[in-house]
Tab-separated table of all heavy atoms in Angstrom:
chain	number	residue	atom	x	y	z
Y	66	LEU	N	-62.027	53.114	-6.758
Y	66	LEU	CA	-60.590	53.115	-6.421
Y	66	LEU	C	-60.391	53.399	-4.930
Y	66	LEU	O	-59.644	54.296	-4.559
Y	66	LEU	CB	-59.864	54.169	-7.264
Y	66	LEU	CG	-60.009	54.057	-8.787
Y	66	LEU	CD1	-59.384	55.254	-9.470
Y	66	LEU	CD2	-59.367	52.761	-9.287
Y	67	GLN	N	-61.032	52.602	-4.104
Y	67	GLN	CA	-60.999	52.867	-2.662
Y	67	GLN	C	-59.584	52.852	-2.098
Y	67	GLN	O	-59.205	53.727	-1.320
Y	67	GLN	CB	-61.862	51.833	-1.931
Y	67	GLN	CG	-63.341	51.921	-2.259
Y	67	GLN	CD	-64.144	50.817	-1.612
Y	67	GLN	OE1	-63.768	50.286	-0.569
Y	67	GLN	NE2	-65.255	50.445	-2.232
Y	68	ASP	N	-58.774	51.877	-2.459
Y	68	ASP	CA	-57.424	51.763	-1.909
Y	68	ASP	C	-56.531	52.896	-2.399
Y	68	ASP	O	-55.637	53.354	-1.667
Y	68	ASP	CB	-56.809	50.420	-2.295
Y	68	ASP	CG	-57.535	49.248	-1.653
Y	68	ASP	OD1	-58.162	49.464	-0.594
Y	68	ASP	OD2	-57.492	48.137	-2.217
Y	69	GLN	N	-56.758	53.350	-3.617
Y	69	GLN	CA	-55.904	54.401	-4.173
Y	69	GLN	C	-56.240	55.785	-3.618
Y	69	GLN	O	-55.352	56.636	-3.466
Y	69	GLN	CB	-56.035	54.424	-5.707
Y	69	GLN	CG	-55.386	53.247	-6.417
Y	69	GLN	CD	-56.240	51.986	-6.386
Y	69	GLN	OE1	-57.373	52.022	-5.910
Y	69	GLN	NE2	-55.692	50.882	-6.880
Y	70	VAL	N	-57.519	56.047	-3.326
Y	70	VAL	CA	-57.898	57.402	-2.906
Y	70	VAL	C	-57.644	57.654	-1.420
Y	70	VAL	O	-57.473	58.802	-1.008
Y	70	VAL	CB	-59.385	57.688	-3.230
Y	70	VAL	CG1	-59.631	57.633	-4.718
Y	70	VAL	CG2	-60.316	56.739	-2.493
Y	71	GLU	N	-57.583	56.601	-0.620
Y	71	GLU	CA	-57.409	56.801	0.820
Y	71	GLU	C	-56.133	57.563	1.159
Y	71	GLU	O	-56.176	58.537	1.938
Y	71	GLU	CB	-57.457	55.461	1.557
Y	71	GLU	CG	-57.401	55.625	3.074
Y	71	GLU	CD	-57.662	54.319	3.814
Y	71	GLU	OE1	-57.947	53.293	3.150
Y	71	GLU	OE2	-57.584	54.321	5.046
Y	72	PRO	N	-54.949	57.177	0.617
Y	72	PRO	CA	-53.750	57.968	0.937
Y	72	PRO	C	-53.818	59.402	0.423
Y	72	PRO	O	-53.218	60.301	1.003
Y	72	PRO	CB	-52.611	57.185	0.253
Y	72	PRO	CG	-53.274	56.299	-0.747
Y	72	PRO	CD	-54.615	55.992	-0.189
Y	73	ILE	N	-54.566	59.622	-0.662
Y	73	ILE	CA	-54.724	60.988	-1.171
Y	73	ILE	C	-55.501	61.828	-0.168
Y	73	ILE	O	-55.140	62.986	0.117
Y	73	ILE	CB	-55.435	60.967	-2.540
Y	73	ILE	CG1	-54.573	60.238	-3.569
Y	73	ILE	CG2	-55.747	62.390	-3.003
Y	73	ILE	CD1	-55.244	60.068	-4.923
Y	74	TYR	N	-56.568	61.255	0.392
Y	74	TYR	CA	-57.346	61.962	1.403
Y	74	TYR	C	-56.481	62.300	2.620
Y	74	TYR	O	-56.551	63.411	3.163
Y	74	TYR	CB	-58.548	61.125	1.839
Y	74	TYR	CG	-59.640	61.008	0.808
Y	74	TYR	CD1	-60.299	59.804	0.589
Y	74	TYR	CD2	-60.025	62.103	0.047
Y	74	TYR	CE1	-61.309	59.690	-0.364
Y	74	TYR	CE2	-61.028	62.005	-0.907
Y	74	TYR	CZ	-61.668	60.796	-1.099
Y	74	TYR	OH	-62.657	60.698	-2.035
Y	75	ASN	N	-55.675	61.353	3.051
Y	75	ASN	CA	-54.811	61.577	4.213
Y	75	ASN	C	-53.843	62.734	3.959
Y	75	ASN	O	-53.631	63.595	4.822
Y	75	ASN	CB	-54.025	60.308	4.547
Y	75	ASN	CG	-54.920	59.196	5.068
Y	75	ASN	OD1	-55.983	59.449	5.609
Y	75	ASN	ND2	-54.495	57.952	4.906
Y	76	ALA	N	-53.234	62.739	2.763
Y	76	ALA	CA	-52.255	63.781	2.437
Y	76	ALA	C	-52.920	65.158	2.351
Y	76	ALA	O	-52.380	66.154	2.849
Y	76	ALA	CB	-51.554	63.447	1.122
Y	77	LEU	N	-54.102	65.213	1.726
Y	77	LEU	CA	-54.802	66.488	1.609
Y	77	LEU	C	-55.208	67.035	2.972
Y	77	LEU	O	-55.074	68.227	3.243
Y	77	LEU	CB	-56.048	66.319	0.726
Y	77	LEU	CG	-55.818	66.206	-0.776
Y	77	LEU	CD1	-57.123	65.866	-1.489
Y	77	LEU	CD2	-55.235	67.501	-1.342
Y	78	PHE	N	-55.691	66.158	3.849
Y	78	PHE	CA	-56.106	66.602	5.175
Y	78	PHE	C	-54.922	67.180	5.942
Y	78	PHE	O	-55.022	68.241	6.569
Y	78	PHE	CB	-56.719	65.438	5.951
Y	78	PHE	CG	-57.242	65.824	7.308
Y	78	PHE	CD1	-58.419	66.537	7.423
Y	78	PHE	CD2	-56.544	65.492	8.457
Y	78	PHE	CE1	-58.904	66.895	8.676
Y	78	PHE	CE2	-57.014	65.858	9.704
Y	78	PHE	CZ	-58.197	66.564	9.810
Y	79	SER	N	-53.788	66.497	5.889
Y	79	SER	CA	-52.592	66.977	6.601
Y	79	SER	C	-52.122	68.313	6.042
Y	79	SER	O	-51.724	69.212	6.796
Y	79	SER	CB	-51.469	65.937	6.492
Y	79	SER	OG	-51.846	64.723	7.098
Y	80	PHE	N	-52.178	68.457	4.726
Y	80	PHE	CA	-51.710	69.700	4.115
Y	80	PHE	C	-52.590	70.879	4.509
Y	80	PHE	O	-52.090	71.925	4.945
Y	80	PHE	CB	-51.687	69.555	2.589
Y	80	PHE	CG	-51.362	70.842	1.881
Y	80	PHE	CD1	-50.047	71.277	1.785
Y	80	PHE	CD2	-52.367	71.632	1.331
Y	80	PHE	CE1	-49.738	72.480	1.145
Y	80	PHE	CE2	-52.071	72.832	0.690
Y	80	PHE	CZ	-50.758	73.256	0.603
Y	81	PHE	N	-53.901	70.740	4.356
Y	81	PHE	CA	-54.797	71.860	4.621
Y	81	PHE	C	-54.802	72.250	6.091
Y	81	PHE	O	-54.751	73.431	6.427
Y	81	PHE	CB	-56.214	71.531	4.155
Y	81	PHE	CG	-56.396	71.612	2.664
Y	81	PHE	CD1	-56.875	70.538	1.945
Y	81	PHE	CD2	-56.073	72.766	1.970
Y	81	PHE	CE1	-57.042	70.607	0.571
Y	81	PHE	CE2	-56.229	72.855	0.600
Y	81	PHE	CZ	-56.715	71.773	-0.110
Y	82	THR	N	-54.894	71.260	6.987
Y	82	THR	CA	-54.925	71.600	8.410
Y	82	THR	C	-53.571	72.105	8.889
Y	82	THR	O	-53.500	72.971	9.766
Y	82	THR	CB	-55.354	70.392	9.250
Y	82	THR	OG1	-54.477	69.284	8.993
Y	82	THR	CG2	-56.770	69.980	8.921
Y	83	GLY	N	-52.495	71.575	8.322
Y	83	GLY	CA	-51.164	71.984	8.756
Y	83	GLY	C	-50.786	73.376	8.329
Y	83	GLY	O	-50.010	74.062	9.012
Y	84	ASN	N	-51.311	73.839	7.203
Y	84	ASN	CA	-50.889	75.121	6.660
Y	84	ASN	C	-51.928	76.232	6.739
Y	84	ASN	O	-51.586	77.414	6.636
Y	84	ASN	CB	-50.491	74.952	5.189
Y	84	ASN	CG	-49.247	74.092	5.014
Y	84	ASN	OD1	-48.130	74.541	5.208
Y	84	ASN	ND2	-49.462	72.837	4.646
Y	85	LEU	N	-53.186	75.874	6.933
Y	85	LEU	CA	-54.231	76.887	6.846
Y	85	LEU	C	-55.141	76.939	8.063
Y	85	LEU	O	-56.209	77.556	8.009
Y	85	LEU	CB	-55.076	76.648	5.585
Y	85	LEU	CG	-54.320	76.820	4.264
Y	85	LEU	CD1	-55.161	76.328	3.101
Y	85	LEU	CD2	-53.932	78.286	4.057
Y	86	ALA	N	-54.734	76.315	9.156
Y	86	ALA	CA	-55.558	76.365	10.361
Y	86	ALA	C	-55.755	77.812	10.809
Y	86	ALA	O	-56.852	78.196	11.247
Y	86	ALA	CB	-54.916	75.543	11.473
Y	87	TRP	N	-54.712	78.635	10.711
Y	87	TRP	CA	-54.807	80.041	11.128
Y	87	TRP	C	-55.881	80.782	10.346
Y	87	TRP	O	-56.579	81.652	10.896
Y	87	TRP	CB	-53.461	80.746	10.932
Y	87	TRP	CG	-53.044	80.857	9.482
Y	87	TRP	CD1	-52.301	79.968	8.761
Y	87	TRP	CD2	-53.399	81.912	8.569
Y	87	TRP	NE1	-52.159	80.396	7.456
Y	87	TRP	CE2	-52.811	81.588	7.316
Y	87	TRP	CE3	-54.137	83.096	8.684
Y	87	TRP	CZ2	-52.948	82.399	6.192
Y	87	TRP	CZ3	-54.279	83.907	7.566
Y	87	TRP	CH2	-53.684	83.555	6.334
Y	88	PHE	N	-56.026	80.451	9.056
Y	88	PHE	CA	-57.003	81.133	8.213
Y	88	PHE	C	-58.426	80.825	8.659
Y	88	PHE	O	-59.275	81.721	8.747
Y	88	PHE	CB	-56.796	80.717	6.762
Y	88	PHE	CG	-57.810	81.292	5.813
Y	88	PHE	CD1	-57.840	82.655	5.553
Y	88	PHE	CD2	-58.727	80.475	5.180
Y	88	PHE	CE1	-58.768	83.195	4.675
Y	88	PHE	CE2	-59.663	81.003	4.307
Y	88	PHE	CZ	-59.683	82.356	4.054
Y	89	PHE	N	-58.698	79.558	8.958
Y	89	PHE	CA	-60.023	79.175	9.436
Y	89	PHE	C	-60.343	79.859	10.762
Y	89	PHE	O	-61.456	80.340	10.977
Y	89	PHE	CB	-60.123	77.654	9.588
Y	89	PHE	CG	-60.226	76.919	8.285
Y	89	PHE	CD1	-59.215	76.086	7.857
Y	89	PHE	CD2	-61.343	77.060	7.472
Y	89	PHE	CE1	-59.299	75.400	6.651
Y	89	PHE	CE2	-61.448	76.382	6.261
Y	89	PHE	CZ	-60.425	75.549	5.850
Y	90	LEU	N	-59.362	79.881	11.688
Y	90	LEU	CA	-59.583	80.506	12.995
Y	90	LEU	C	-59.845	81.999	12.852
Y	90	LEU	O	-60.760	82.550	13.485
Y	90	LEU	CB	-58.377	80.273	13.916
Y	90	LEU	CG	-58.470	79.062	14.850
Y	90	LEU	CD1	-58.368	77.759	14.064
Y	90	LEU	CD2	-57.374	79.108	15.923
Y	91	LEU	N	-59.077	82.673	12.014
Y	91	LEU	CA	-59.238	84.116	11.827
Y	91	LEU	C	-60.596	84.432	11.207
Y	91	LEU	O	-61.301	85.358	11.659
Y	91	LEU	CB	-58.113	84.651	10.945
Y	91	LEU	CG	-58.132	86.161	10.646
Y	91	LEU	CD1	-57.991	86.962	11.933
Y	91	LEU	CD2	-57.010	86.519	9.665
Y	92	ALA	N	-60.980	83.685	10.199
Y	92	ALA	CA	-62.257	83.929	9.531
Y	92	ALA	C	-63.428	83.729	10.486
Y	92	ALA	O	-64.363	84.547	10.531
Y	92	ALA	CB	-62.395	83.008	8.318
Y	93	ALA	N	-63.399	82.653	11.269
Y	93	ALA	CA	-64.490	82.383	12.207
Y	93	ALA	C	-64.614	83.498	13.240
Y	93	ALA	O	-65.725	83.874	13.645
Y	93	ALA	CB	-64.275	81.035	12.897
Y	94	ASN	N	-63.479	84.049	13.690
Y	94	ASN	CA	-63.519	85.175	14.626
Y	94	ASN	C	-64.241	86.377	14.013
Y	94	ASN	O	-65.025	87.067	14.689
Y	94	ASN	CB	-62.095	85.582	15.021
Y	94	ASN	CG	-61.423	84.550	15.904
Y	94	ASN	OD1	-62.072	83.692	16.485
Y	94	ASN	ND2	-60.105	84.628	15.993
Y	95	ILE	N	-63.977	86.637	12.748
Y	95	ILE	CA	-64.622	87.763	12.068
Y	95	ILE	C	-66.136	87.572	12.027
Y	95	ILE	O	-66.911	88.510	12.275
Y	95	ILE	CB	-64.056	87.918	10.642
Y	95	ILE	CG1	-62.584	88.360	10.714
Y	95	ILE	CG2	-64.880	88.900	9.819
Y	95	ILE	CD1	-61.872	88.357	9.374
Y	96	PHE	N	-66.585	86.358	11.744
Y	96	PHE	CA	-68.023	86.095	11.664
Y	96	PHE	C	-68.704	86.310	13.019
Y	96	PHE	O	-69.797	86.877	13.083
Y	96	PHE	CB	-68.268	84.660	11.179
Y	96	PHE	CG	-67.635	84.346	9.843
Y	96	PHE	CD1	-67.087	83.098	9.582
Y	96	PHE	CD2	-67.575	85.309	8.857
Y	96	PHE	CE1	-66.507	82.816	8.359
Y	96	PHE	CE2	-66.984	85.036	7.616
Y	96	PHE	CZ	-66.456	83.787	7.379
Y	97	VAL	N	-68.061	85.861	14.087
Y	97	VAL	CA	-68.645	86.020	15.421
Y	97	VAL	C	-68.702	87.494	15.808
Y	97	VAL	O	-69.724	87.984	16.311
Y	97	VAL	CB	-67.839	85.228	16.470
Y	97	VAL	CG1	-68.330	85.551	17.880
Y	97	VAL	CG2	-67.961	83.731	16.225
Y	98	ILE	N	-67.618	88.205	15.584
Y	98	ILE	CA	-67.562	89.625	15.959
Y	98	ILE	C	-68.640	90.413	15.215
Y	98	ILE	O	-69.358	91.233	15.807
Y	98	ILE	CB	-66.160	90.204	15.674
Y	98	ILE	CG1	-65.139	89.582	16.649
Y	98	ILE	CG2	-66.163	91.723	15.810
Y	98	ILE	CD1	-63.700	89.909	16.310
Y	99	LEU	N	-68.784	90.151	13.915
Y	99	LEU	CA	-69.804	90.852	13.149
Y	99	LEU	C	-71.197	90.563	13.699
Y	99	LEU	O	-72.018	91.483	13.875
Y	99	LEU	CB	-69.732	90.432	11.674
Y	99	LEU	CG	-70.845	90.994	10.774
Y	99	LEU	CD1	-70.764	92.513	10.701
Y	99	LEU	CD2	-70.759	90.381	9.372
Y	100	SER	N	-71.483	89.305	13.997
Y	100	SER	CA	-72.814	88.925	14.495
Y	100	SER	C	-73.122	89.598	15.828
Y	100	SER	O	-74.233	90.103	16.041
Y	100	SER	CB	-72.905	87.399	14.641
Y	100	SER	OG	-72.709	86.757	13.408
Y	101	VAL	N	-72.157	89.616	16.726
Y	101	VAL	CA	-72.369	90.208	18.046
Y	101	VAL	C	-72.539	91.723	17.927
Y	101	VAL	O	-73.417	92.319	18.564
Y	101	VAL	CB	-71.199	89.863	18.984
Y	101	VAL	CG1	-71.320	90.630	20.294
Y	101	VAL	CG2	-71.161	88.364	19.265
Y	102	VAL	N	-71.713	92.356	17.113
Y	102	VAL	CA	-71.788	93.814	16.963
Y	102	VAL	C	-73.144	94.234	16.410
Y	102	VAL	O	-73.752	95.220	16.873
Y	102	VAL	CB	-70.649	94.315	16.052
Y	102	VAL	CG1	-70.888	95.768	15.634
Y	102	VAL	CG2	-69.305	94.190	16.768
Y	103	LEU	N	-73.668	93.479	15.437
Y	103	LEU	CA	-74.944	93.843	14.827
Y	103	LEU	C	-76.100	93.808	15.827
Y	103	LEU	O	-77.064	94.569	15.696
Y	103	LEU	CB	-75.252	92.914	13.649
Y	103	LEU	CG	-74.425	93.130	12.383
Y	103	LEU	CD1	-74.777	92.086	11.333
Y	103	LEU	CD2	-74.633	94.535	11.822
Y	104	ILE	N	-76.008	92.945	16.832
Y	104	ILE	CA	-77.065	92.864	17.847
Y	104	ILE	C	-77.214	94.192	18.584
Y	104	ILE	O	-78.327	94.631	18.896
Y	104	ILE	CB	-76.765	91.737	18.856
Y	104	ILE	CG1	-76.888	90.372	18.176
Y	104	ILE	CG2	-77.711	91.809	20.057
Y	104	ILE	CD1	-76.484	89.205	19.066
Side-chain angles (χ1 to χ4, degrees):
L66 304 173
Q67 295 175 27
D68 294 335
Q69 288 80 5
V70 297
E71 185 171 357
I73 296 175
Y74 289 139
N75 292 335
L77 285 173
F78 183 75
S79 298
F80 174 80
F81 284 124
T82 56
N84 293 281
L85 295 170
W87 65 270
F88 176 68
F89 286 114
L90 266 70
L91 180 62
N94 290 343
I95 293 172
F96 303 143
V97 172
I98 291 171
L99 174 64
S100 299
V101 172
V102 167
L103 287 176
I104 292 175

